[in-house]
Amino acid sequence: MNKKQELAANLPWDNPRFRTWIAVARAEKAIVRALGKGLEPLGLKIAQLDMLMNLYRHPGQSQHDLARRLLVGRSNITMLLPQLESRGLLRRESDGKDRRILRLTLTEQGEALLSEALKVHTALIEAVMSQSTPEQCDMIGEHMRRIAEVARTA
């Protein structure tokens, strides 16, 4: 078998797993694009929405804790925080026990913007997931969690 025949024999185009992989990747890109577009009128990026959601769910966490929850480096958080703080969406306050630690909380304005952003996010989730029954949604979610776990350990 020559090199061209060997390459042709190993192409993944007809493999159902490859086609599914491509479909998942395209779906993820389309969802990210749609969410980004939906957040534009609110002046938010997806990473900022993630931060607002986490600060709402876990008020008073440190920058280090927030970075760990979002699975990003502290430098990413350090770049985004001033943007949100200057818009009056969050506060950084010194920790009573350790002055080196800054505790993060949403302001009322931050909570109001989060409420609007969650309407956009929820509408997108409903539109996308309404293509499936609740049982199918559960199955898709379980498969995606397993895929994510395998990818993390690969």
Side-chain angles (χ1 to χ4, degrees):
M1 183 180 296
N2 67 32
K3 293 257 186 212
K4 189 169 186 164
Q5 290 170 324
E6 185 179 324
L7 175 62
N10 291 315
L11 292 175
W13 320 141
D14 296 325
N15 181 329
R17 288 183 172 147
F18 181 82
R19 288 194 308 269
T20 300
W21 178 272
I22 296 300
V24 168
R26 286 183 177 158
E28 186 270 340
K29 287 179 190 265
I31 290 167
V32 167
R33 252 192 318 272
L35 182 56
K37 186 176 178 182
L39 293 174
E40 278 178 13
L42 301 175
L44 280 178
K45 304 250 186 262
I46 295 172
Q48 294 170 322
L49 173 60
D50 284 345
M51 289 179 72
L52 295 177
M53 287 191 298
N54 271 277
L55 290 174
Y56 181 81
R57 293 186 69 209
H58 308 282
Q61 65 186 302
S62 69
Q63 289 179 214
H64 175 76
D65 292 338
L66 181 60
R68 197 179 73 246
R69 274 199 175 88
L70 295 176
L71 305 174
V72 298
R74 285 192 311 205
S75 61
N76 290 2
I77 299 295
T78 303
M79 289 174 38
L80 292 172
L81 284 177
Q83 298 167 9
L84 297 175
E85 191 175 30
S86 69
R87 290 179 62 185
L89 303 176
L90 65 86
R91 283 187 304 277
R92 291 190 256 192
E93 299 167 335
S94 294
D95 183 281
K97 296 177 184 169
D98 187 341
R99 305 188 110 205
R100 296 170 297 173
I101 297 174
L102 293 174
R103 298 287 172 190
L104 306 170
T105 56
L106 291 182
T107 63
E108 284 184 29
Q109 188 177 345
E111 287 183 8
L113 183 62
L114 175 61
S115 178
E116 293 303 309
L118 286 174
K119 290 175 188 173
V120 170
H121 198 194
T122 301
L124 176 61
I125 291 168
E126 288 302 318
V128 169
M129 298 310 290
S130 70
Q131 308 305 305
S132 306
T133 66
E135 294 78 19
Q136 289 169 325
C137 287
D138 289 343
M139 184 183 70
I140 292 166
E142 182 55 35
H143 283 296
M144 292 297 108
R145 283 185 283 280
R146 288 196 315 251
I147 288 169
E149 184 59 33
V150 169
R152 271 192 292 275
T153 60

